[in-house]
């Protein structure tokens, strides 16, 4: 099957060029202009006036994930999109590859935990490929360090550590962080952190609750930016001692950015992301009435408008490397079941389907990012840093035939009414975007047209990733 995408503007991390793309037998065959190519193709898509980009990669989602930070039994424990739902929402929004999480609960073996997660993945028809990070909670189980090394052979080449959520089983101490970093360094794996000072936050939370301060805004007030900056700094320094490559998830504050920028300039092997919602929502949204404010309880919390501007600046200058979604969807019923106290509200928001359109509108239309920087942040860097490049995240010959045709002239309004995720609210409700996903090709097959998934729902599967610590080069300077 030869698919020719003709007449569009091809956008990669290296720049934009008017070119055709031929996808043959599931892979990109060439990018350029070949006379007569249309006569030779089985199907020709007219992409004139449109942007042709690599399928986007979101390496931070939580599908059918247990709610680990809340202890109240009244709340349904899982995020509301299962792997199937999430993969459909992702691909309709232009994201053709996901990396989600397998979770080790304390006492469980790491390989066992991976196998359980892979069994769940195998039970769902997936529209995208899904790789897995391993959430490591307990190095006390026999053979844990050898099993961490073995995970890399299984294609699970990144270890996620929670430095927060003191009352959950997942928060680790510095001993565990450092030992995992040593194992990662020895195996060219990547350490991934949720960086917040879990102990200090827990004290602030208990004091707030004792004082009767349980409104949603206290979710932010008990997690001040310095608690993020402190943990970011600690993770950077401990990984530096261990010689490990470090990736910091969901950076939200100017204080944390300053730590990251200094470390990068000093040669630390650190990369960092922010998530779409931090570029749109700010802390004042938590002061809305409880049934509204509870929607925007996510962690780290939304910050000030100044922090939001600092994040945009960091994306443009290369202090931040990736934009992901941290798609962690709950229904309004789940959210409002915990609206009486910030301590009971499930943490997280949907967004896996919105990232490309929101970032094009706010970033490219907003004059903050070039189209090629957008592709770098959403496609190329996540693929490179997580061992999926060059098959994912680019359109060079030999790459997987995962292509998004994006119509910069198409307008639509983001709303729960047209949302694919089973979450029944939209973070970007009412946001008018100029630029929308037109067609999505996965593995050389047209799978999405007119925001509808058309193909067999079981095309995707578990994606084994390469070891990728080498992608975290030492001393990459940030742009001035
Ligand atoms: Zn997350």
């Amino acid at each position: 099957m030869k698919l020719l995408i003709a007449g569009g503007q091809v956008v990669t991390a290296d720049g934009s060029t008017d070119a055709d793309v031929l996808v043959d037998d599931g892979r990109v065959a060439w990018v350029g202009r070949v006379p007569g190519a249309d006569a030779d193709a089985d199907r020709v898509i007219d992409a004139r006036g449109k942007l042709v980009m690599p399928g986007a990669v979101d390496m931070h989602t939580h599908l059918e994930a247990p709610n680990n930070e809340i202890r109240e039994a009244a709340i349904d424990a899982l995020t509301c999109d299962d792997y199937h739902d999430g993969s459909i929402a992702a691909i309709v929004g232009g994201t053709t590859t996901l990396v989600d999480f397998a979770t080790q609960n304390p006492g469980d073996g790491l390989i066992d935990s991976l196998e359980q997660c892979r069994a769940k993945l195998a039970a769902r028809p997936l529209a995208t490929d899904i790789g897995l990070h391993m959430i490591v909670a307990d190095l006390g189980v026999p053979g844990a360090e050898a099993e961490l090394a073995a995970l890399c052979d299984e294609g699970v080449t990144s270890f996620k550590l929670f430095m927060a959520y003191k009352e959950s089983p997942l928060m680790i101490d510095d001993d565990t962080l450092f030992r995992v970093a040593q194992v990662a360094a020895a195996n060219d794996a990547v350490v991934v952190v949720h960086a917040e000072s879990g102990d200090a936050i827990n004290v602030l939370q208990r004091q707030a609750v004792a004082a009767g301060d349980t409104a949603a805004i206290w979710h932010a007030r008990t997690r001040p930016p310095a608690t993020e900056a402190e943990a970011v700094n600690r993770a950077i320094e401990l990984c530096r001692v261990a010689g490990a490559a470090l990736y910091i998830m969901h950076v939200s504050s100017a204080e944390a950015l300053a730590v990251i920028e200094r470390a990068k300039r000093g040669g630390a092997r650190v990369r960092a992301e922010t998530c779409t919602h931090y570029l749109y929502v700010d802390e004042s949204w938590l002061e809305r009435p409880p049934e509204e404010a509870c929607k925007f309880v996510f962690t780290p919390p939304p910050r000030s408008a100044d922090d939001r501007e600092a994040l945009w600046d960091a994306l443009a200058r290369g202090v931040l490397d990736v934009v992901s979604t941290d798609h962690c969807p709950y229904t309004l019923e789940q959210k409002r079941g915990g609206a009486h106290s910030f301590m009971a509200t499930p943490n997280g928001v949907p967004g896996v389907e919105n990232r490309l359109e929101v970032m094009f509108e706010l970033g490219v239309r907003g004059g903050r990012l070039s189209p090629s920087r957008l592709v770098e942040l959403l496609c190329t860097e996540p693929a490179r840093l997580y061992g999926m490049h060059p098959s994912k995240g680019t359109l060079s010959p030999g790459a997987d035939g995962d292509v998004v045709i994006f119509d910069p002239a198409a307008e639509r309004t983001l709303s729960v009414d047209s949302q694919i995720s089973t979450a029944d609210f939209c973070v970007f409700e009412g946001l008018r975007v100029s630029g929308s996903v037109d067609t999505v090709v996965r593995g050389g097959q047209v799978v999405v047209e007119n925001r509808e998934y058309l193909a067999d729902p079981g095309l995707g599967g578990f994606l084994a990733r390469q070891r990728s610590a080498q992608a975290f080069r030492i001393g990459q300077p940030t742009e001035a």
Side-chain angles (χ1 to χ4, degrees):
M1 166 79 186
K2 288 184 182 178
L3 174 68
L4 183 71
I5 302 166
Q9 185 175 44
V10 174
V11 185
T12 67
D14 299 326
S16 301
T17 175
D18 291 331
D20 304 340
V21 177
L22 185 79
V23 183
D24 186 8
D25 200 19
R27 293 181 185 278
V28 175
W30 48 256
V31 178
R33 284 277 149 81
V34 174
D38 50 342
D40 193 35
D42 299 296
R43 179 172 174 186
V44 179
I45 296 178
D46 181 359
R48 282 176 295 176
K50 294 173 186 157
L51 307 180
V52 179
M53 309 170 173
V57 177
D58 189 348
M59 33 55 59
H60 189 171
T61 61
H62 299 274
L63 302 175
E64 56 185 283
N67 179 334
N68 287 300
E69 75 281 1
I70 302 294
R71 301 268 61 105
E72 294 201 7
I75 293 169
D76 185 351
L78 294 183
T79 54
C80 61
D81 286 334
D82 67 21
Y83 294 115
H84 168 74
D85 302 326
S87 72
I88 298 278
I91 206 161
V92 170
T95 294
T96 49
T97 305
L98 301 175
V99 187
D100 203 273
F101 298 89
T103 303
Q104 177 206 23
N105 287 305
D108 292 353
L110 288 153
I111 297 291
D112 281 353
S113 301
L114 173 61
E115 281 173 1
Q116 283 174 28
C117 186
R118 286 196 59 178
K120 281 191 217 161
L121 270 182
R124 308 280 186 216
L126 304 177
T128 66
D129 290 330
I130 302 186
L132 296 168
H133 311 280
M134 175 57 73
I135 295 174
V136 182
D138 182 5
L139 278 189
V141 296
E145 292 179 31
E147 289 201 4
L148 276 179
L151 286 173
C152 297
D153 297 328
E154 299 292 320
V156 175
T157 55
S158 45
F159 309 140
K160 166 86 182 278
L161 300 167
F162 283 96
M163 301 171 77
Y165 300 136
K166 173 89 170 170
E167 289 175 9
S168 89
L170 299 185
M171 180 170 145
I172 48 83
D173 57 15
D174 288 353
D175 178 291
T176 301
L177 170 59
F178 188 66
R179 287 161 62 205
V180 169
Q182 287 186 323
V183 176
N187 290 278
D188 276 341
V190 176
V191 177
V192 180
V193 290
H194 174 132
E196 288 184 299
S197 319
D199 286 300
I201 287 167
N202 184 250
V203 173
L204 293 172
Q205 287 179 326
R206 285 189 278 122
Q207 289 168 345
V209 169
D213 294 324
T214 56
I217 187 63
W218 287 90
H219 175 64
R221 289 182 184 158
T222 54
R223 312 180 95 91
T227 59
E228 182 179 36
E230 182 280 320
V232 165
N233 187 62
R234 185 158 32 107
I236 288 171
E237 296 305 333
L238 293 178
C239 285
R240 178 141 65 181
V241 176
L246 172 66
Y247 184 89
I248 299 164
M249 285 190 151
H250 47 48
V251 174
S252 64
S253 67
E255 284 189 48
L257 290 171
V259 174
I260 293 163
E261 182 163 12
R262 189 182 66 223
K264 282 187 162 187
R265 288 187 188 285
R269 297 170 70 199
V270 59
R271 299 291 184 272
E273 69 173 23
T274 191
C275 308
T276 335
H277 42 271
Y278 295 106
L279 298 165
Y280 191 64
V281 178
D282 69 53
E283 188 182 279
S284 67
W285 295 35
L286 294 176
E287 299 191 89
R288 296 176 181 182
E291 68 278 9
E292 195 54 28
C294 67
K295 294 176 186 173
F296 308 107
V297 171
F298 47 74
T299 308
R303 304 292 190 187
S304 71
D306 285 348
D307 286 297
R308 199 172 50 194
E309 286 311 307
L311 292 171
W312 280 114
D313 176 64
L315 288 170
R317 290 195 302 119
V319 176
L320 289 173
D321 305 283
V322 170
V323 178
S324 70
T325 66
D326 198 2
H327 177 77
C328 188
Y330 294 101
T331 63
L332 282 175
E333 187 183 0
Q334 288 174 303
K335 282 284 202 178
R336 288 177 176 160
H340 57 283
S341 165
F342 75 92
M343 290 291 285
T345 313
N347 290 195
V349 282
V352 73
E353 69 202 76
N354 303 124
R355 181 177 57 146
L356 181 51
E357 290 171 353
V358 168
M359 291 302 295
F360 190 84
E361 176 65 27
L362 303 180
V364 176
R365 292 272 180 220
R368 291 152 156 152
L369 304 173
S370 67
S372 60
R373 180 63 177 154
L374 179 79
V375 167
E376 190 167 36
L377 290 165
L378 271 56
C379 313
T380 316
E381 276 303 286
R384 225 175 54 80
L385 297 175
Y386 286 97
M388 299 176 277
H389 193 79
S391 56
K392 306 289 187 191
T394 188
L395 288 179
S396 48
D400 290 356
D402 300 348
V403 188
V404 174
I405 302 168
F406 190 87
D407 184 354
E411 301 205 349
R412 73 182 199 97
T413 300
L414 305 187
S415 170
V416 68
D417 298 335
S418 54
Q419 187 156 283
I420 311 292
S421 164
T422 63
D424 50 359
F425 69 97
C426 173
V427 175
F428 309 98
E429 185 68 41
L431 177 65
R432 186 92 183 138
V433 297
S434 300
S436 182
V437 174
D438 180 276
T439 303
V440 182
V441 175
R442 185 196 164 282
Q445 183 178 349
V446 174
V447 292
V448 176
E449 285 177 317
N450 300 318
R451 293 185 46 75
E452 206 169 323
Y453 186 74
L454 306 167
D456 172 353
L459 290 176
F462 170 73
L463 179 67
R465 294 177 293 115
Q466 305 294 314
R467 297 159 199 257
S468 60
Q470 300 307 324
F472 291 60
R473 297 190 297 284
I474 296 172
Q476 177 184 282
T478 53
E479 292 164 30

